[in-house]
Amino acid sequence: MEYRLLGRSGLKVSTITMGTMTFGGVGWAKTVGDLGVKDAKKLVDMCVDAGVNLLDTADVYSQGASEEILGEIIGGPRKDGVLIATKARFPMGPGVNDVGSSRQHLIQACEASLKRMKTDVIDLYQLHEWDGQTPLEETMEALDTLVRQGKIRYIGCSNFSGWHIMKALGVSERDKRERFVSQQIHYTLEARDAENELVPISIDQGLGILVWSPIAGGLLSGKHRRNQATPEGTRQFAGWTEPPIRDENRLWNIVDTLVEIADGRGVSAAQVALAWLIGRKGVTSVIIGGRTKAQFQDNLASAELKLTDEERKRLDDVSLPPLMYPYWHQRNTASDRLSEADLSLIDPHLAK
């Protein structure tokens, strides 16, 4: 297992993070999984034994049940340097203040998460989604307070747009508050939208990238194929709608290439998709989830899979989206003055 610094912090995390959305099975999360303490512990132990040192959850996963189960497994003194990441922002009750990134909700949510997970400190506390109604000054001050109180160690965001992140970083710098060390984003071979703004921002501003749903909810696992029925027992069979697929033919072209490379290497398509992400510029760790030992064993193996340059080029080419404005204009007129962050998006489109 490889370990990478999380953004500008001195914290090192494994290139694979264990996701726990499958723990609990309450409400909408039941579609994803409904693991109890006994089965979840087996999977946590397997991941930790494989070198995974970051476990990611959220208060909204099964309305707190995921955190409670994680608390039963690793609460109290933690072994092997295991780190906990959780998130807050989404509704956790019927009250008008039981949602959002206000000081009221974040402090209340953090204390509730600490209690559910039976721990004194959360290693990475993340804003789960943007809140356009709470001033960022209030949000960043609340997070800074929680750090000073010793309840959280690092802060991050998730599902923010580029300008949201830059505004938050600006507020942190101006007011001398704690700044984000990471962002958790959706980024896959099929969905490369993050390369427009989020990946360049991470490279330029020193943010780590944690990738959620790195095989697109199973769509890139090799189980789903062109002109075949959706397999029973999968999220898609249960009606899961993330990520949205805007070009189905492009998706199947990507899957065909994944399967061809995987068959040639004697590995799964999921491993190839994960290995491609782990090797992308700016990516710190990919978050894997599942309901079975076999799923985790397969995904964990991607940490050791090194794709060749030719294999990477095939995957890059079949999945490369067109440049949006203003990036195509920058390619045409500013290619002599591009930074490393700019080139993370534009370089594949330059004539070699």
Side-chain angles (χ1 to χ4, degrees):
M1 183 68 67
E2 180 186 351
Y3 300 88
R4 297 173 178 172
L5 289 170
L6 187 63
R8 289 183 184 172
S9 78
L11 187 70
K12 288 192 173 184
V13 300
S14 47
T15 53
I16 291 183
T17 295
M18 182 182 186
T20 64
M21 194 190 292
T22 55
F23 295 4
V26 177
W28 58 263
K30 189 173 180 62
T31 301
V32 182
D34 57 358
L35 298 175
V37 175
K38 181 179 179 181
D39 291 331
K41 185 178 186 306
K42 293 177 182 177
L43 298 178
V44 169
D45 289 345
M46 177 195 306
C47 288
V48 172
D49 289 345
V52 171
N53 76 338
L54 180 60
L55 308 180
D56 180 77
T57 187
D59 58 3
V60 76
Y61 295 167
S62 290
Q63 285 296 295
S66 175
E67 288 185 332
E68 289 173 353
I69 291 170
L70 197 57
E72 290 295 323
I73 297 170
I74 64 169
R78 299 186 213 159
K79 65 175 183 176
D80 304 316
V82 171
L83 306 168
I84 295 176
T86 192
K87 317 176 199 73
R89 152 64 172 86
F90 288 115
M92 287 299 291
V96 294
N97 290 312
D98 292 335
V99 63
S101 298
S102 67
R103 181 186 295 107
Q104 166 73 21
H105 183 242
L106 286 181
I107 291 176
Q108 183 180 61
C110 178
E111 291 174 346
S113 289
L114 289 168
K115 184 176 180 179
R116 281 190 291 265
M117 293 190 291
K118 300 182 178 180
T119 186
D120 295 327
V121 62
I122 295 164
D123 299 290
L124 176 62
Y125 200 53
Q126 303 157 103
L127 300 177
H128 207 162
E129 177 60 272
W130 172 248
D131 176 359
Q133 296 188 357
T134 300
L136 272 168
E137 289 81 0
E138 177 179 339
T139 298
M140 303 313 293
E141 186 275 335
L143 293 173
D144 189 83
T145 296
L146 289 168
V147 172
R148 302 303 163 207
Q149 291 176 341
K151 295 176 180 178
I152 59 178
R153 292 195 171 118
Y154 299 94
I155 61 173
C157 62
S158 181
N159 305 310
F160 276 35
S161 68
W163 74 267
H164 294 154
I165 293 173
M166 291 306 299
K167 186 173 181 179
L169 293 177
V171 168
S172 292
E173 181 175 0
R174 184 196 66 200
D175 297 345
K176 295 181 173 52
R177 305 292 187 193
E178 287 291 319
R179 78 192 301 269
F180 295 143
V181 299
S182 63
Q183 58 170 323
Q184 188 174 139
I185 64 175
H186 184 61
Y187 181 25
T188 71
L189 271 163
E190 191 282 325
R192 295 177 60 175
D193 317 60
E195 293 176 352
N196 291 322
E197 290 284 340
L198 302 183
V199 173
I201 284 170
S202 286
I203 295 170
D204 186 71
Q205 295 296 312
L207 299 177
I209 292 177
L210 307 176
V211 179
W212 63 263
S213 197
I215 53 175
L219 284 175
L220 304 181
S221 66
K223 296 178 182 177
H224 301 267
R225 300 301 303 276
R226 191 191 306 266
N227 299 323
Q228 293 183 11
T230 302
E232 291 189 33
T234 63
R235 295 186 193 183
Q236 285 68 33
F237 187 84
W240 195 254
T241 59
E242 292 187 357
I245 303 302
R246 300 184 176 92
D247 186 340
E248 191 168 322
N249 187 58
R250 175 175 173 272
L251 166 66
W252 297 130
N253 289 340
I254 293 170
V255 171
D256 289 344
T257 305
L258 277 172
V259 171
E260 288 171 8
I261 292 173
D263 288 347
R265 296 290 295 270
V267 299
S268 71
Q271 287 181 40
V272 175
L274 291 168
W276 179 84
L277 265 178
I278 291 171
R280 295 298 287 177
K281 186 73 173 178
V283 171
T284 308
S285 184
V286 298
I287 304 171
I288 63 170
R291 289 170 285 189
T292 69
K293 182 178 180 180
Q295 288 174 318
F296 276 98
Q297 284 179 326
D298 183 76
N299 287 183
L300 286 166
S302 65
E304 307 301 324
L305 179 62
K306 305 301 179 185
L307 299 177
T308 66
D309 290 343
E310 189 272 336
E311 289 167 339
R312 284 196 166 275
K313 186 176 187 308
R314 288 181 63 190
L315 293 168
D316 291 347
D317 290 348
V318 75
S319 63
L320 188 66
L323 282 178
M324 299 170 59
Y325 177 80
Y327 310 114
W328 57 258
H329 199 275
Q330 293 169 5
R331 175 200 60 195
N332 294 346
T333 63
S335 61
D336 61 329
R337 303 284 290 183
L338 297 177
S339 69
E340 181 184 5
D342 297 320
L343 288 170
S344 68
L345 169 67
I346 297 175
D347 187 61
H349 298 270
L350 295 174
K352 299 296 189 288

